[in-house]
């Protein structure tokens, strides 16, 4: 058994693995449904929130309201500055609560709470 452990430490773990890719996928769907759902929604919400408002939202408002270009540029800057400034606090929250809980909170806030008033206001 000790020789088996040594060979796995050397990088031969793939040769000794008995789990196939189909088995891993089956285990994912059978035992990790909530994590799969939260991860999928989080990825979709992150993609939508991180690309659509900074790129299109400010320009749409500029065209609709006739704002000067410097105001639009400042608003686009704030879309990236706020997350950068909050990153250390979120990191401390991850250390305290754990990554899964913070990620779930982010999915809930970014995908349910924030869009409702934004879409109503828009």
């Amino acid at each position: 058994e000790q020789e088996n452990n040594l060979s796995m430490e050397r990088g031969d773990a793939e040769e000794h693995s008995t789990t196939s890719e189909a088995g891993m996928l089956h285990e994912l769907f059978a035992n990790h449904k909530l994590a799969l759902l939260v991860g999928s929604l989080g990825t979709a919400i992150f993609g939508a929130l991180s690309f659509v408002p900074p790129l299109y939202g400010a320009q749409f408002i500029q065209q609709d309201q006739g704002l000067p270009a410097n105001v639009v540029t400042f608003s686009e800057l704030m879309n990236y500055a706020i997350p950068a400034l909050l990153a250390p606090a979120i990191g401390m929250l991850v250390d305290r609560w754990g990554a899964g809980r913070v990620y779930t909170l982010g999915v809930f806030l970014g995908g349910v709470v924030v869009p409702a008033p934004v879409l109503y206001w828009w």
Side-chain angles (χ1 to χ4, degrees):
E1 184 177 326
Q2 187 176 11
E3 184 176 316
N4 189 18
N5 288 340
L6 288 175
S7 67
M8 291 179 108
E9 287 178 12
R10 281 187 245 133
D12 298 336
E14 291 178 14
E15 293 176 16
H16 298 290
S17 176
T18 58
T19 307
S20 67
E21 288 185 25
M24 288 187 283
L25 190 60
H26 177 70
E27 179 185 347
L28 180 66
F29 286 119
N31 301 327
H32 305 285
K33 291 176 186 166
L34 181 61
L36 184 64
L37 177 68
V38 170
S40 299
L41 289 175
T43 302
I45 291 167
F46 173 78
L49 290 179
S50 64
F51 296 113
V52 174
L55 295 177
Y56 299 111
Q59 294 174 6
F60 176 75
I61 293 171
Q62 178 187 19
Q63 291 174 354
D64 189 51
Q65 301 294 322
L67 296 174
N70 61 349
V71 172
V72 174
T73 302
F74 181 73
S75 70
E76 290 173 346
L77 171 75
M78 293 310 292
N79 279 325
Y80 295 107
I82 291 171
L85 293 173
L86 290 176
I90 299 301
M92 291 189 302
L93 193 61
V94 167
D95 290 341
R96 222 174 248 259
W97 284 5
R101 288 183 180 154
V102 173
Y103 191 78
T104 304
L105 177 66
V107 168
F108 177 71
L109 292 176
V112 177
V113 175
V114 171
V118 169
L119 292 174
Y120 175 77
W121 175 65
W122 202 317

